[in-house]
Coordinates of all heavy atoms in Angstrom, one line a residue:
Y100 N 118.7 87.4 97.5 CA 117.4 87.2 96.9 C 116.4 88.3 97.3 O 115.6 88.7 96.5 CB 116.8 85.8 97.3 CG 116.4 85.7 98.8 CD1 115.1 86.0 99.2 CD2 117.3 85.4 99.8 CE1 114.7 85.9 100.5 CE2 116.9 85.3 101.1 CZ 115.6 85.5 101.4 OH 115.2 85.4 102.7
W101 N 116.5 88.9 98.5 CA 115.6 90.0 98.8 C 115.9 91.3 98.1 O 115.1 92.2 98.0 CB 115.6 90.3 100.3 CG 117.0 90.6 100.9 CD1 117.7 91.7 100.8 CD2 117.8 89.7 101.6 NE1 118.9 91.7 101.5 CE2 119.0 90.4 102.0 CE3 117.7 88.4 102.1 CZ2 120.1 89.8 102.7 CZ3 118.8 87.8 102.8 CH2 119.9 88.5 103.1
D102 N 117.1 91.4 97.5 CA 117.4 92.6 96.7 C 116.6 92.7 95.4 O 116.6 93.7 94.8 CB 118.9 92.7 96.5 CG 119.7 93.0 97.7 OD1 119.1 93.7 98.6 OD2 120.9 92.7 97.8
S103 N 116.1 91.6 95.0 CA 115.3 91.6 93.7 C 113.8 91.8 93.9 O 113.1 91.8 92.9 CB 115.6 90.3 93.0 OG 115.1 89.2 93.7
V104 N 113.4 92.1 95.1 CA 112.0 92.4 95.4 C 111.9 93.9 95.8 O 112.7 94.4 96.6 CB 111.5 91.5 96.6 CG1 110.1 92.0 97.0 CG2 111.5 90.1 96.2
D105 N 110.9 94.6 95.2 CA 110.7 96.0 95.6 C 110.2 96.0 97.1 O 109.2 95.4 97.4 CB 109.6 96.5 94.7 CG 109.3 98.0 95.0 OD1 109.7 98.5 96.0 OD2 108.6 98.6 94.1
P106 N 111.0 96.6 98.0 CA 110.6 96.6 99.4 C 109.3 97.3 99.6 O 108.6 96.9 100.6 CB 111.7 97.4 100.1 CG 112.6 98.0 99.0 CD 112.2 97.3 97.7
V107 N 108.9 98.3 98.9 CA 107.6 98.9 99.1 C 106.5 97.9 98.8 O 105.5 97.8 99.6 CB 107.4 100.2 98.2 CG1 106.1 100.8 98.3 CG2 108.5 101.2 98.5
V108 N 106.6 97.1 97.8 CA 105.6 96.1 97.4 C 105.6 95.0 98.4 O 104.6 94.5 98.9 CB 105.8 95.6 96.0 CG1 104.8 94.5 95.7 CG2 105.7 96.8 95.0
A109 N 106.8 94.5 98.8 CA 106.9 93.4 99.7 C 106.3 93.8 101.1 O 105.7 92.9 101.7 CB 108.4 93.0 99.9
K110 N 106.5 95.0 101.5 CA 106.0 95.4 102.8 C 104.5 95.3 102.9 O 103.9 95.1 104.0 CB 106.5 96.8 103.2 CG 108.0 96.8 103.5 CD 108.4 98.2 103.9 CE 109.9 98.2 104.2 NZ 110.4 99.5 104.6
K111 N 103.8 95.3 101.8 CA 102.4 95.2 101.8 C 101.9 93.8 102.2 O 100.8 93.6 102.6 CB 101.8 95.5 100.4 CG 102.0 97.0 100.0 CD 101.5 97.2 98.6 CE 101.8 98.7 98.2 NZ 101.4 98.9 96.8
H112 N 102.8 92.9 102.1 CA 102.5 91.5 102.5 C 103.0 91.1 103.9 O 102.8 89.9 104.2 CB 103.1 90.5 101.4 CG 102.6 90.8 100.0 ND1 101.3 90.5 99.6 CD2 103.1 91.4 99.0 CE1 101.1 90.8 98.4 NE2 102.2 91.4 98.0
L113 N 103.6 92.0 104.6 CA 104.2 91.7 105.9 C 103.5 92.5 107.0 O 103.2 93.6 106.9 CB 105.7 92.1 105.9 CG 106.5 91.3 104.8 CD1 107.9 92.0 104.7 CD2 106.6 89.9 105.1
V114 N 103.2 91.8 108.1 CA 102.6 92.4 109.3 C 103.6 93.4 109.8 O 103.3 94.5 110.2 CB 102.2 91.4 110.3 CG1 101.8 92.0 111.6 CG2 101.2 90.4 109.8
T115 N 104.9 93.0 109.9 CA 105.9 93.8 110.6 C 106.5 94.9 109.6 O 107.0 95.9 110.1 CB 107.1 93.0 111.1 OG1 107.7 92.4 109.9 CG2 106.6 91.9 112.1
G116 N 106.4 94.6 108.3 CA 107.0 95.6 107.4 C 108.5 95.5 107.3 O 109.1 96.3 106.6
Q117 N 109.1 94.6 108.0 CA 110.6 94.5 108.0 C 111.1 93.6 106.8 O 110.6 92.5 106.7 CB 111.1 93.9 109.3 CG 110.8 94.7 110.5 CD 111.2 94.0 111.8 OE1 111.6 92.8 111.8 NE2 111.0 94.7 112.9
I118 N 112.0 94.2 106.1 CA 112.6 93.5 105.0 C 114.0 93.8 104.9 O 114.4 95.0 105.0 CB 111.8 93.8 103.6 CG1 112.5 93.0 102.5 CG2 111.7 95.2 103.4 CD1 111.7 93.1 101.2
P119 N 115.0 92.9 104.8 CA 114.8 91.5 104.7 C 114.5 90.8 106.1 O 113.6 90.1 106.2 CB 116.0 91.0 104.1 CG 117.1 91.9 104.5 CD 116.4 93.2 104.6
G120 N 115.3 91.1 107.0 CA 115.1 90.5 108.4 C 115.5 89.0 108.4 O 114.7 88.1 108.3
H121 N 116.8 88.7 108.7 CA 117.3 87.4 108.8 C 116.5 86.6 109.8 O 116.4 87.0 111.0 CB 118.8 87.3 109.1 CG 119.3 85.9 109.3 ND1 119.3 85.0 108.3 CD2 119.7 85.3 110.4 CE1 119.7 83.9 108.8 NE2 120.0 84.0 110.1
A122 N 115.9 85.5 109.4 CA 115.1 84.7 110.3 C 113.9 85.4 111.0 O 113.5 85.0 112.0 CB 115.9 84.0 111.3
Q123 N 113.5 86.5 110.3 CA 112.3 87.2 110.8 C 111.1 86.9 110.0 O 111.1 85.8 109.3 CB 112.6 88.7 110.8 CG 113.7 89.1 111.7 CD 113.4 88.9 113.2 OE1 112.3 89.4 113.6 NE2 114.2 88.3 113.9

Side-chain angles (χ1 to χ4, degrees):
Y100 71 94
W101 57 76
D102 289 333
S103 61
V104 173
D105 180 347
V107 173
V108 176
K110 287 179 181 184
K111 293 178 182 178
H112 300 287
L113 300 169
V114 173
T115 64
Q117 296 176 354
I118 179 173
H121 175 65
Q123 295 294 309

